[in-house]
Amino acid sequence: MSKRKMAQKVVQTATAADIETGSSGGDFVSFDAVQTPDGNRGERGALREHLRQFWIMAAPYFRESREGQCLFLGMVVLTLLNSAVRVYFSYLARDFWSALSDKNADRFYSIMARFVGSMLFLAPINVFYRYQRQKLAIAWRDWLTRTVLHLYFRNRVYYSLEREQQTAE
């Protein structure tokens, strides 16, 4: 049995066990809701489909995890800051090459001083952006692992999966 089918079976069996026992383990989205994008819809339709799939998978994490909400908000802020830093450095590079091609020594040294000062102040933003991105990815994977294991072990789902696998053979 493939990993995807096993995950689908865990979610379906856990949901069925919840309905039978009347318990509720949280708002979990079934893997059946995730579909592959239709290539005939064009780029805009494919992007919309990817965003929809992302939201289906990510929404429970952001709904249930306060840490995830804070990490994601920090990620958005750092993404905007990182983009601004990149734009600023592109203007510095433009001015650097213009001063160099114009053979303007005073302007060249002025831009070099701004570049060194900017590196000391703005480079940590890029490093922190990468750190925050990795931290969010690890936190999401940790949450996903705990959630799948919780679904697997809740209401002894693994027994019904084992029985279904034995009857299939």
Side-chain angles (χ1 to χ4, degrees):
M1 185 178 284
S2 73
K3 289 180 183 180
R4 181 177 170 83
K5 287 186 179 185
M6 179 66 87
Q8 288 175 338
K9 204 51 119 166
V10 167
V11 172
Q12 291 168 353
T13 309
T15 305
D18 281 348
I19 292 170
E20 289 174 11
T21 61
S23 66
S24 174
D27 296 327
F28 297 108
V29 177
S30 169
F31 287 96
D32 292 335
V34 180
Q35 300 171 355
T36 58
D38 183 19
N40 297 331
R41 288 195 268 177
E43 288 181 28
R44 191 175 213 173
L47 177 62
R48 192 172 291 139
E49 181 66 22
H50 286 297
L51 289 174
R52 187 184 71 77
Q53 288 180 9
F54 168 76
W55 186 247
I56 286 170
M57 291 185 294
Y61 174 63
F62 295 121
R63 235 183 281 125
E64 295 173 13
S65 173
R66 177 76 175 148
E67 178 191 18
Q69 293 170 354
C70 293
L71 287 173
F72 187 70
L73 179 64
M75 191 70 219
V76 169
V77 169
L78 285 171
T79 298
L80 294 173
L81 276 173
N82 191 42
S83 296
V85 165
R86 288 176 181 261
V87 168
Y88 178 73
F89 274 111
S90 74
Y91 283 118
L92 276 179
R94 178 199 65 187
D95 294 342
F96 169 81
W97 288 109
S98 294
L100 198 59
S101 67
D102 293 343
K103 298 179 184 175
N104 186 343
D106 293 333
R107 189 167 172 225
F108 174 78
Y109 288 118
S110 169
I111 291 170
M112 284 303 292
R114 281 182 23 208
F115 182 78
V116 169
S118 299
M119 284 295 288
L120 293 175
F121 180 69
L122 299 175
I125 291 174
N126 193 319
V127 171
F128 192 59
Y129 164 76
R130 290 177 185 204
Y131 169 77
Q132 183 77 3
R133 188 177 64 194
Q134 291 298 318
K135 188 174 179 180
L136 177 62
I138 290 169
W140 184 76
R141 287 183 196 126
D142 179 55
W143 173 86
L144 187 62
T145 301
R146 282 186 282 111
T147 301
V148 168
L149 286 175
H150 173 73
L151 287 172
Y152 183 71
F153 289 118
R154 187 178 60 202
N155 296 327
R156 299 169 23 159
V157 169
Y158 47 89
Y159 286 125
S160 60
L161 288 173
E162 186 177 313
R163 272 185 279 149
E164 287 180 18
Q165 188 175 14
Q166 287 175 352
T167 58
E169 293 174 351

